[in-house]
Amino acid sequence: MNIDNADSLRAAKCVPCEGGVPTLSRDQASDLIKAIPEWELAADAKRISRTLKCRNFVDAVAHINQISVLAEQEQHHPDLHLTGYRMLTIELTTHAIDGLSRNDFVVAAKIDPLLAEQSK
């Protein structure tokens, strides 16, 4: 039974990963994604992503800046894509293992309140 929810993921810290650890299985990732319903699990179960339409370019860049600070604190960095001047896509994967780790879900859960806060 999964005990992870958004609060427990936000309370966690990322664990350094230099490889050598197994990726999450599709079932494990499918279970964890339930805690962060704004995020989508890729078809290959190797990454998660969230896309949002920001109010304007300045709002989109503000999101990127907040996410960058969080990513540095956690030492786990998402790929950030800004297109059409206000469409922001955030993708998380653990590059060292070419797939998902719990770190990806921890960072996603920590990003969500930043996005909600900035959009007010």
Side-chain angles (χ1 to χ4, degrees):
M1 178 174 200
N2 179 24
I3 59 170
D4 280 310
N5 60 38
D7 290 334
S8 69
L9 289 170
R10 278 192 290 276
K13 294 295 283 176
C14 286
V15 176
C17 177
E18 298 299 326
V21 297
T23 60
L24 294 176
S25 69
R26 177 179 298 282
D27 288 344
Q28 290 170 314
S30 294
D31 201 28
L32 281 166
I33 200 81
K34 294 173 188 171
I36 49 171
E38 300 289 329
W39 293 78
E40 182 178 325
L41 180 63
D44 63 3
K46 288 188 172 192
R47 66 190 175 287
I48 57 174
S49 64
R50 179 174 176 185
T51 298
L52 64 146
K53 185 176 185 178
C54 301
R55 290 182 297 216
N56 53 44
F57 182 77
V58 171
D59 186 45
V61 172
H63 285 316
I64 290 170
N65 289 333
Q66 285 187 312
I67 292 166
S68 70
V69 170
L70 170 68
E72 280 296 302
Q73 290 169 346
E74 293 296 326
Q75 286 299 294
H76 194 71
H77 304 89
D79 293 331
L80 302 171
H81 308 275
L82 179 58
T83 57
Y85 82 89
R86 65 182 188 160
M87 294 301 294
L88 177 59
T89 299
I90 307 154
E91 291 183 335
L92 283 156
T93 189
T94 301
H95 299 284
I97 60 173
D98 190 32
L100 288 168
S101 71
R102 191 165 187 274
N103 288 347
D104 299 303
F105 293 89
V106 167
V107 170
K110 291 181 178 195
I111 287 172
D112 281 346
L114 299 177
L115 302 179
E117 189 176 293
Q118 187 70 25
S119 297
K120 290 181 181 175

